[in-house]
Amino acid sequence: METDVAAARGLTHRTTWTPRVVLAVALVLVAAQTVVRGGLALDGNLYWDDLILTGRSSAMPLLSPEFLFYDHDGHFMPAAFLTAGVTTALAPLQWWAAASTLIVLQLLAALAVLRVLWLLLGPRPVLPALLALYLFAPLTVPSFAWWAAGLNSLPLQAALAWVAGDALLLARTGRRRYAVTGTLVAVGALAFFEKSVLVPWVAFAVLALVLRVDGTASPVRTAWRSARTLWVASAAVLAVWAVVYLNVADTGMRVPPLGEALRFAHHGTSLGLVPTLVGGPWRWERWPPGPPWAVPPWALVVAGWVVVIVAFVVSARCKQRTGWVWVSMVAYVAASQAAMMLARSGPDTTYELAQTLRYTSDSAVLLALGLALIIRAPRRTDTGRVGALAAPLASPAVATVIVTGLVASSVWSTVTFARAWNDNPGADYLTTARAQLSEHRDAPLLDQPVSLMTLLPVAAPWNRASRVFGPLADRPAFAAAISELRVLDESGRLVHATVEPLRWTAPGPEPGCGTRIGGAGGTVPMDGPLMIWEWTAQLNYFANADGTVAVGLGAGEPVEVPVQTGLNQAFVRLYGTGAHLSVQPRTPGLELCVGSGPVGVVVPGTEAVR
């Protein structure tokens, strides 16, 4: 009787979870992730590097080498620049357009992971559960929400899954089309992110591990032979790519001391990746304008490590030939951590950088592949007490509860991340500034750095208003010299401004004129020297005619300044050092009398421009 009941339950289980049902549930999960991630993306805004991408897009021809083959802080990513350029051309500084590219790329990555899991597991009921752990993993959330990061990470995630799937299909069928598509996808991923050099290696490892867990005698040799065309093509692509990359990008790698490396590893694993395995971190902190970083409670850190240890012990005791699967997962995570340390560590780098999770987000794909391989591996006949204790976890009801809890925990971490991510003063600045610039297009504005909450000076020259708002057509012009000083304040309002003096130009020796400047030009002394920097000079002058003069600071590059007949003033932004201004008329017959005026920094006032 008990045997009949068990058989009936098994039959019901198999009947319920048909291949069509498994696929339908998986696609519903993909749709649910698209909704969750779509809400997160559309509620965001352009941030930091995003503005560098849009600024470069408007400043350079779309298909020019200077635009595409640019070293962006050690990154080589021409396809990301091209995507940003097209998006900016179609919808300048419109966040919905940038968010749409993130949603599409995330959908492609999700479908690629579904495809490779199907190839590894077939239509098993466990497939949707494993897919859900990838789809809602908090590990991938920070790199998704940030456009510039998502243009790197999402194509890499898609390629890791797709090329691994093509390698499996090539080995199974021998059809060369999978070598072609796998190579093309790898090339595309490399064009988005240099870390995609790992894609062919991961594909080879997945194929070799599949062969190993299936019991093939020489898995590495068989993996090479069965998909040789893909590996040879990938090697050729990597060789060509390496030449281009090394000629374009300056990696600036630094090997940190051992103690520093261990602290980075602790922050990146115990306080970063590991809590996400149980749906953490739940909490995030942020110091604007920096991005959020994970701040998991210690209970969650401990729970994450317990899950890792239990999973390892159970798989080692209950499954055959899974040791190299664990080695491969750990190796990939370690490689990601090492790449972060080599590229980003330094005396000014905080360890919380590792807790932003951006540098290990693609590990979510590897963890899903690793778990699929462990599930695929054959069971041991004698699992002992470990197998008996783990058996209840394999029941559909218990597994469903566990996965549902992990997904709920992950969604909560996504919600709390969104709250921290939306604490972005730069977004309010952009919104206000766009409206103000559209309303006041009558006169040019002095080019200036944007709010510190939007871009710090380290991003120069792309932190200048002319670069940030360059994509907009509905705005005033920006210039290095103007006749009325109006600037954007820290909130994005257009206000009248003054020059806070650090030095003053001398009154000049000629009574009623000051310093006379004739056709041969001359110098206007200051009451002291200025260190090398970008300063603003207020020129109080009287001109005998309309024209143009070139004004410079010391040996700095001169700026063309339009002047008007009579008593006027001009505000000039100058880069240089020295104790005098040089003034050279460009218009024949033009003469000036230059009086005393401040040279220093622009200070926004409180009076708004009407």
Side-chain angles (χ1 to χ4, degrees):
M1 182 66 178
E2 291 180 358
T3 304
D4 293 339
V5 171
R9 287 177 178 172
L11 179 60
T12 301
H13 180 67
R14 288 191 298 271
T15 302
T16 303
W17 287 96
T18 63
R20 182 173 296 180
V21 171
V22 172
L23 180 59
V25 173
L27 292 176
V28 168
L29 289 171
V30 171
Q33 188 223 28
T34 304
V35 171
V36 172
R37 291 292 173 91
L40 172 62
L42 292 172
D43 201 32
N45 211 315
L46 295 168
Y47 168 72
W48 199 267
D49 293 64
D50 301 346
L51 297 170
I52 298 176
L53 298 185
T54 56
R56 294 188 72 251
S57 298
S58 66
M60 304 174 187
L62 185 64
L63 299 179
S64 64
E66 64 175 338
F67 177 64
L68 297 177
F69 298 100
Y70 172 72
D71 177 12
H72 181 65
D73 200 17
H75 292 307
F76 177 59
M77 46 189 230
F81 288 135
L82 183 60
T83 303
V86 172
T87 304
T88 302
L90 295 175
L93 294 187
Q94 295 287 337
W95 172 245
W96 66 263
S100 297
T101 64
L102 292 173
I103 295 168
V104 170
L105 288 172
Q106 179 65 82
L107 180 60
L108 292 175
L111 293 174
V113 172
L114 169 57
R115 173 180 181 255
V116 74
L117 291 180
W118 192 279
L119 292 171
L120 288 171
L121 298 173
R124 302 189 194 187
V126 73
L127 186 148
L130 189 54
L131 177 65
L133 296 181
Y134 163 75
L135 292 176
F136 299 99
L139 183 60
T140 62
V141 168
S143 63
F144 166 81
W146 187 351
W147 191 34
L151 290 177
N152 290 156
S153 176
L154 293 172
L156 171 58
Q157 292 177 41
L160 286 168
W162 188 272
V163 179
D166 275 355
L168 292 171
L169 289 169
L170 178 60
R172 292 175 187 176
T173 66
R175 295 176 182 172
R176 294 189 175 229
R177 68 177 184 179
Y178 295 115
V180 174
T181 55
T183 303
L184 291 176
V185 171
V187 170
L190 281 168
F192 277 97
F193 191 20
E194 67 277 356
K195 193 178 179 181
S196 298
V197 294
L198 297 175
V199 167
W201 299 96
V202 169
F204 183 88
V206 169
L207 179 54
L209 289 169
V210 166
L211 294 169
R212 176 168 174 76
V213 299
D214 288 350
T216 302
S218 302
V220 174
R221 184 181 305 170
T222 304
W224 166 257
R225 290 177 176 175
S226 59
R228 181 182 302 172
T229 51
L230 176 57
W231 313 136
V232 172
S234 297
V237 167
L238 290 180
V240 173
W241 176 88
V243 173
V244 178
Y245 175 76
L246 293 174
N247 279 278
V248 171
D250 179 13
T251 59
M253 289 189 177
R254 169 186 178 269
V255 179
L258 179 60
E260 184 178 326
L262 291 176
R263 285 189 287 273
F264 260 115
H266 168 67
H267 282 258
T269 52
S270 291
L271 302 181
L273 184 147
V274 171
T276 68
L277 302 179
V278 289
W282 296 347
R283 297 192 316 221
W284 309 80
E285 285 191 10
R286 185 177 193 182
W287 296 340
W293 69 89
V295 189
W298 277 105
L300 205 60
V301 175
V302 173
W305 277 116
V306 168
V307 167
V308 171
I309 294 170
V310 168
F312 174 75
V313 171
V314 170
S315 66
R317 190 67 185 90
C318 300
K319 291 284 189 172
Q320 301 179 42
R321 300 183 290 272
T322 59
W324 282 107
V325 176
W326 282 96
V327 170
S328 300
M329 288 192 290
V330 171
Y332 191 91
V333 172
S336 297
Q337 297 274 0
M340 175 195 64
M341 295 179 207
L342 291 172
R344 295 291 181 259
S345 66
D348 299 323
T349 303
T350 63
Y351 297 120
E352 283 77 12
L353 177 71
Q355 294 167 239
T356 62
L357 306 183
R358 298 195 312 273
Y359 300 95
T360 52
S361 61
D362 45 290
S363 298
V365 177
L366 269 293
L367 296 175
L369 293 174
L371 289 175
L373 287 166
I374 292 171
I375 292 169
R376 180 188 178 98
R379 289 181 59 84
R380 296 183 185 274
T381 55
D382 181 17
T383 59
R385 292 184 59 188
V386 172
L389 292 173
L393 300 177
S395 69
V398 174
T400 300
V401 170
I402 292 174
V403 172
T404 302
L406 289 175
V407 169
S409 178
S410 298
V411 170
W412 176 245
S413 291
T414 302
V415 170
T416 56
F417 174 85
R419 292 173 181 172
W421 181 245
N422 291 332
D423 179 19
N424 179 13
D428 295 333
Y429 172 87
L430 291 174
T431 301
T432 303
R434 287 185 58 181
Q436 291 278 286
L437 294 176
S438 176
E439 184 180 349
H440 301 281
R441 293 169 291 170
D442 53 321
L445 299 180
L446 188 69
D447 199 7
Q448 63 174 123
V450 296
S451 162
L452 293 176
M453 291 290 104
T454 304
L455 275 176
L456 290 174
V458 71
W462 304 107
N463 68 325
R464 305 184 70 83
S466 60
R467 301 295 193 180
V468 171
F469 300 106
L472 298 176
D474 194 18
R475 62 169 176 81
F478 290 95
I482 58 174
S483 58
E484 181 183 0
L485 190 55
R486 306 181 303 172
V487 298
L488 296 169
D489 67 9
E490 284 295 303
S491 67
R493 292 188 313 138
L494 190 62
V495 297
H496 295 284
T498 58
V499 177
E500 180 72 21
L502 193 65
R503 294 285 183 260
W504 287 84
T505 54
E510 187 173 331
C513 177
T515 302
R516 184 174 294 276
I517 304 294
T523 60
V524 180
M526 295 186 292
D527 59 0
L530 289 171
M531 63 180 234
I532 189 165
W533 192 248
E534 197 165 44
W535 305 101
T536 298
Q538 178 179 322
L539 291 182
N540 299 315
Y541 69 88
F542 181 92
N544 66 341
D546 292 348
T548 303
V549 297
V551 180
L553 173 57
E557 188 73 20
V559 173
E560 299 287 321
V561 182
V563 296
Q564 296 177 317
T565 304
L567 184 63
N568 294 287
Q569 60 183 192
F571 299 89
V572 191
R573 199 160 184 87
L574 302 167
Y575 181 81
T577 180
H580 67 271
L581 302 180
S582 61
V583 182
Q584 174 64 59
R586 299 297 195 198
T587 304
L590 178 63
E591 293 187 0
L592 301 176
C593 289
V594 180
S596 179
V599 181
V601 295
V602 174
V603 177
T606 58
E607 182 185 357
V609 175
R610 301 299 180 186

